Amino acid sequence: MSLTQFGPVYSGRASAVRAGEVVLSLVASGLVGMRGWAGVRRLQQPYDRSLQLGLDRLAALCVRAGRDAPVGVQDLVGVWCAQRPVDSWPLEFDPDAQVSGERLLIGGEPSEFCLEWAVTARDVVSEVHESVLVKHVKDTAALLGRPELYARWRLFVTDHAVLGPDEFLAAKNAVLDVPQWATWLEESYGAVTAEAAAGGRVAVCGGCGQWIAPQADGRVRCKVWRCVQRHDLPEPARVEAQGARRLEPELVRFVALPGRPEVDLARRLAARGARVVLYPKLDALDLVAVWPGGHSVGVDVKDWHSPYLLARRIKMFPRWGADDPHAYRKGYLVVPQDRVRANRRYVKILVQRSEALKAQPWVEVVSDDDLVASCPDLGTAGAGEVVCGP
């Protein structure tokens, strides 16, 4: 089905659902694409093309349903996306898509729901920088025969959102036998811009650990979903902006934030006595852990709002021979506990909808809390460890 022109007139429930998903994905993609739009007027196309295509298709479906359609892109964004939940739109969705009450914009920013329905990241600068840098780190680590370097880089940027000048220099010199390491750090961190600081300082969220850009009124409030939900969120730390470096925004979004639940899980398992290897074989899995008694598990952590969409993106777990240093006996796809708590059907939808999971009955879907509880607790501080290599 072409995304550049109106599709056919759909008949039947499945076709209506497909039509609804296409409209939702187009509009969501367009909203995400507008995040990097600084108001520079493009003469013939001032809005993201996906947004206009989504508007066209939505308008056509509104006419067929005898409903009023959005009057232009401004109405679509400002009213339909910001004020109306998606289930009030004249579209059909699979019940497992769980669109009830979901809005595409919250506080003027794309919601988690919106970000996951966006088909492609239209912020070209961010997409290219993040993907090229990650690929370069992976390829270089593989070429050097040092795959642990990739894991070590990912762990470092996940843990360090802002670095003072002395910290940054020390970080660059941390791996002197690999000159490329300093280059990776230079490309991962940029100078603190005026927009990222307030009162000469950079705020670092006490929840997700990432830097927070101040709002127009100077207030600092983290917009990450998990932080917004917390009532006990610690006050942000403040770091002197003069000479400091902050993690590039695209790495915050695509590496550090997704990496936080992975690293947190690894440390919780290590606290019970497990030996945990992060990102083995250049991220073939998120981690491989060996319990104190010798039982080994391979783990992939998936922190998604929508199990319906996540089910389509689950891949096959790698299998390695018994003599491989990363060999494991049992596979787990792990979902953070707060996702499962907020959505009781999360695991059921995931298992029923994922073809990859059906093909891998030896892979079990569990919450992070359940996986941690299954690891025997030695009750001895320092008994376990988190490492970046075999």
Side-chain angles (χ1 to χ4, degrees), residues 131-284:
S131 61
V132 169
L133 178 57
V134 171
K135 184 177 186 304
H136 176 67
V137 176
K138 275 188 177 181
D139 290 349
T140 304
L143 186 64
L144 294 174
R146 300 276 301 276
E148 79 280 0
L149 290 173
Y150 168 75
R152 187 171 175 180
W153 171 78
R154 280 196 65 166
L155 176 60
F156 186 87
V157 299
T158 298
D159 275 346
H160 299 86
V162 181
L163 296 169
D166 293 340
E167 294 174 310
F168 185 61
L169 181 60
K172 287 174 58 179
N173 292 330
V175 191
L176 291 175
D177 61 328
V178 181
Q180 295 92 335
W181 177 269
T183 301
W184 298 341
L185 270 292
E186 286 282 359
E187 293 192 21
S188 301
Y189 291 85
V192 174
T193 63
E195 293 78 13
R201 294 190 173 191
V202 186
V204 179
C205 179
C208 65
Q210 298 307 310
W211 59 270
I212 315 169
Q215 299 176 359
D217 58 7
R219 291 190 298 174
V220 174
R221 184 176 302 164
C222 185
K223 295 184 178 179
V224 172
W225 171 85
R226 193 165 273 110
C227 298
V228 171
Q229 300 298 312
R230 288 183 60 175
H231 299 294
D232 60 344
L233 188 68
E235 284 294 313
R238 307 281 177 166
V239 180
E240 288 292 335
Q242 182 66 34
R245 296 291 190 104
R246 57 100 173 97
L247 190 62
E248 294 288 2
E250 57 270 20
L251 294 179
V252 171
R253 178 181 173 191
F254 294 111
V255 178
L257 285 176
R260 189 61 183 258
E262 300 159 1
V263 173
D264 286 350
L265 175 60
R267 288 173 174 153
R268 291 172 66 191
L269 292 172
R272 295 176 73 93
R275 184 179 190 273
V276 185
V277 180
L278 279 173
Y279 310 117
K281 296 185 183 290
L282 301 172
D283 204 17

Side-chain angles (χ1 to χ4, degrees), residues 14-31:
S15 294
V17 167
R18 279 200 305 274
E21 291 191 1
V22 168
V23 169
L24 180 55
S25 291
L26 283 170
V27 175
S29 300
L31 292 172

